[in-house]
Amino acid sequence: MVFQLPAGRGPVVDLAGQVGSLVGYSVYTLLSCVRTVATGRLSLAETRDQALFVARVCSVPALLLMLPVGVLVAVSVGELAGRLGAAGYAGAVVAFVVVGQASALVCALMLAGVGGSAICADLGSRTIREEVEAMEVMGLDVIERLVVPRVIATVLVSLVMCALVTAVGVTACLIYQVYGQGESAGAFLSTLSAYGRPSDLWMAMAKSVAFAVVSALIATFKGLHARGGSSGVADAVNETVVLAFVTVFVINTVLSAVYGLVVPSVGKY
């Protein structure tokens, strides 16, 4: 089942139709994910292949992006902490910035920009070649066969990638503080463990899962509705990247605000 987009009748009506179709498609797809997994109809081979595909295009860029981010945080924190005479508290700032925010945002950028565009291009090329229509004619569930494995694979990759990115970011900060600033590794790790909470890491991974679901849903939706040949696929990829970026940053803001209200900061009672 693929939600057909209504004919455009103006920018406002077209936007409303796109949003409504995307919301309906997302709800139907998520229910299909639950039903497919519960009934044992999930194609493990396809899920594995898609997970390897997403990991191949996202993991290395994410790690390479996190290295300069971690070093930038370490340099900024090291200089400011040194001027204030609190160089030993660099680990506390790293725990908040890298673990709490930067790792999830790096995953969001990779999943929305790299993984989402790759998924959209793959499904878009299948759509313009009429492979999707052929599957529907044969009575095959397009959502179950093509979309559900990609959504689940993206979620699995997001969990692993968030853990790796967090480890790389914290390690880059630690190396710079010890060898670049000459600070004690024990002091860095002590403040990191004192001010960094396990809930921060769990929240970062929960954000990554949310970003993965949103990016996969938008990418598959745009890919299945690509029209106009190769130029239409290119337009769908551009729309996927922009819409996914905007959506994941809105979700990150909301989740961060809710987390700040639910989980008190260290030192508050």
Side-chain angles (χ1 to χ4, degrees), residues 162-184:
C162 180
L164 291 176
V165 164
T166 303
V168 170
V170 173
T171 303
C173 294
L174 173 62
I175 292 175
Y176 180 81
Q177 288 294 324
V178 173
Y179 295 100
Q181 296 291 327
E183 301 295 338
S184 170

Side-chain angles (χ1 to χ4, degrees), residues 27 30 90 95 222 268:
V27 173
L30 293 177
K222 289 295 184 181
K268 289 187 177 182

Side-chain angles (χ1 to χ4, degrees), residues 17-166:
Q18 290 262 358
V19 173
S21 299
L22 178 57
V23 172
Y25 169 85
S26 301
V27 173
Y28 181 83
T29 301
L30 293 177
L31 293 177
S32 297
C33 290
V34 176
R35 183 180 67 250
T36 303
V37 173
T39 57
R41 295 171 57 89
L42 177 65
S43 176
L44 298 180
E46 179 69 13
T47 304
R48 179 202 61 201
D49 294 340
Q50 293 302 320
L52 293 176
F53 171 71
V54 176
R56 186 171 62 251
V57 299
C58 291
S59 297
V60 175
L63 296 178
L64 293 178
L65 177 61
M66 194 61 196
L67 282 175
V69 170
V71 173
L72 177 62
V73 171
V75 171
S76 302
V77 171
E79 291 183 356
L80 180 60
R83 293 178 182 179
L84 298 177
Y89 285 88
V93 181
V94 169
F96 172 75
V97 176
V98 175
V99 180
Q101 298 295 329
S103 60
L105 289 178
V106 168
C107 291
L109 293 174
M110 293 299 105
L111 292 173
V114 181
S117 60
I119 292 175
C120 179
D122 180 28
L123 291 181
S125 61
R126 293 170 181 257
T127 301
I128 64 174
R129 291 197 302 263
E130 300 182 351
E131 294 180 13
V132 175
E133 294 182 359
M135 293 179 63
E136 292 179 338
V137 169
M138 290 186 293
L140 300 177
D141 191 341
V142 176
I143 301 298
E144 180 181 315
R145 294 298 183 93
L146 297 180
V147 177
V148 172
R150 286 166 171 79
V151 173
I152 296 178
T154 307
V155 170
L156 295 177
V157 171
S158 70
L159 293 173
V160 178
M161 188 166 64
C162 180
L164 291 176
V165 164
T166 303

